[in-house]
């Protein structure tokens, strides 16, 4: 299953999403991917040995001007942390169901200044925030259930297949504004998460 998802991801990364222009100012997108944890229980970012935690994604984005779009999105899925072999047995695994509702602004490099506005391949960066709802999937494990805000940012790549259809990939990072948002451990660092998001979109 992991190999199939990896192959799908490598295919999708050659394309991309969110390609609305002045002619088609709105875009509806959907997709999904993998999200991973970085916090008091360790860092699973870019860890090939970590369990796969997936999510689904939907978003609506709107063209503001040549350089900027705004997007409202929602993701729903799982995020967790497996205790490494030999770790302190008092540190429990983490497994939570997370729903994130976000509002972000995207700066497009294909804006007529750096790259052609109608370039087929269009990289971008984005910044904004999200409200994250945590649910305890395994009630006997420690998960701090509730609503928590985060600062979100990242980068992505867009390849326009036609004037209306596009596909894409983005790598997003979130910094939880509340200490211990995932795991009740309120000292030290704030918990974070990363999302690899593969998407398809329709511009209208």
């Amino acid at each position: 299953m992991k190999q199939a998802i990896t192959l799908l991801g490598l295919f999708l990364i050659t394309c991309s999403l969110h390609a609305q222009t002045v002619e088609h100012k709105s875009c509806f997108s959907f997709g999904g991917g993998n999200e991973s944890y970085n916090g008091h229980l360790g860092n699973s970012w870019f860890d090939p040995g970590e369990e796969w935690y997936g999510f689904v994604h939907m978003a609506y984005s709107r063209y503001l001007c040549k350089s900027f779009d705004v997007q409202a999105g929602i993701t729903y899925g799982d995020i967790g942390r497996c205790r490494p072999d030999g770790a302190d047995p008092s540190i429990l695994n983490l497994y939570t169901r997370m729903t994130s509702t976000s509002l972000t602004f995207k700066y497009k490099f294909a804006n007529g200044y750096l790259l052609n506005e109608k370039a087929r391949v269009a990289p971008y960066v984005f910044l904004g925030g999200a409200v994250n709802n945590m649910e305890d999937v395994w009630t006997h494990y420690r998960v701090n259930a509730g609503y928590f805000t985060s600062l979100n940012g990242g980068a992505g790549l867009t390849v326009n297949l036609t004037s209306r259809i596009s596909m894409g990939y983005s790598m997003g990072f979130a910094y939880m504004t509340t200490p211990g948002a995932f795991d009740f451990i309120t000292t030290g660092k704030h918990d974070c998460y990363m999302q690899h998001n593969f998407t398809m979109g329709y511009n209208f």
Side-chain angles (χ1 to χ4, degrees):
M1 182 61 180
K2 287 186 178 180
Q3 290 83 353
I5 295 174
T6 300
L7 290 174
L8 177 62
L10 291 174
F11 168 75
L12 291 178
I13 199 171
T14 64
C15 310
S16 201
L17 170 66
H18 310 311
Q20 65 264 40
T21 65
V22 67
E23 292 85 7
H24 307 297
K25 293 188 175 183
S26 295
C27 178
F28 172 76
S29 62
F30 66 94
N34 168 258
E35 51 194 1
S36 53
Y37 163 90
N38 181 359
H40 297 93
L41 302 181
N43 183 3
S44 60
W45 292 0
F46 308 111
D47 181 359
E50 181 60 89
E51 293 291 328
W52 176 276
Y53 299 99
F55 68 91
V56 293
H57 161 91
M58 292 180 60
Y60 170 78
S61 53
R62 179 72 178 177
Y63 176 96
L64 297 179
C65 64
K66 289 184 177 181
S67 296
F68 292 98
D69 293 342
V70 61
Q71 176 175 288
I74 184 170
T75 65
Y76 175 80
D78 295 338
I79 189 168
R81 175 62 177 166
C82 286
R83 187 176 66 239
D85 292 339
D88 184 347
S90 66
I91 300 177
L92 298 176
N93 289 359
L94 173 74
Y95 184 33
T96 181
R97 190 143 293 146
M98 182 172 71
T99 304
S100 297
T101 304
S102 63
L103 182 68
T104 57
F105 292 88
K106 178 174 69 175
Y107 177 77
K108 302 172 289 187
F109 293 97
N111 54 12
Y113 307 110
L114 301 174
L115 297 173
N116 189 301
E117 188 181 4
K118 295 185 179 181
R120 181 172 295 274
V121 179
Y124 61 87
V125 294
F126 62 92
L127 184 66
V131 176
N132 310 275
N133 178 39
M134 306 294 177
E135 300 178 49
D136 192 351
V137 181
W138 295 340
T139 56
H140 57 290
Y141 285 129
R142 298 186 305 174
V143 171
N144 195 6
Y147 289 89
F148 306 93
T149 58
S150 63
L151 301 176
N152 295 60
L157 181 67
T158 297
V159 175
N160 304 314
L161 303 180
T162 70
S163 63
R164 291 186 180 272
I165 300 174
S166 52
M167 301 175 69
Y169 167 77
S170 66
M171 181 186 296
F173 300 89
Y175 175 83
M176 308 300 290
T177 60
T178 303
F182 286 89
D183 50 32
F184 286 122
I185 305 173
T186 59
T187 59
K189 66 189 296 184
H190 290 224
D191 292 335
C192 304
Y193 64 84
M194 176 177 64
Q195 292 180 326
H196 297 280
N197 192 15
F198 303 95
T199 48
M200 300 182 65
Y202 180 77
N203 308 316
F204 58 96

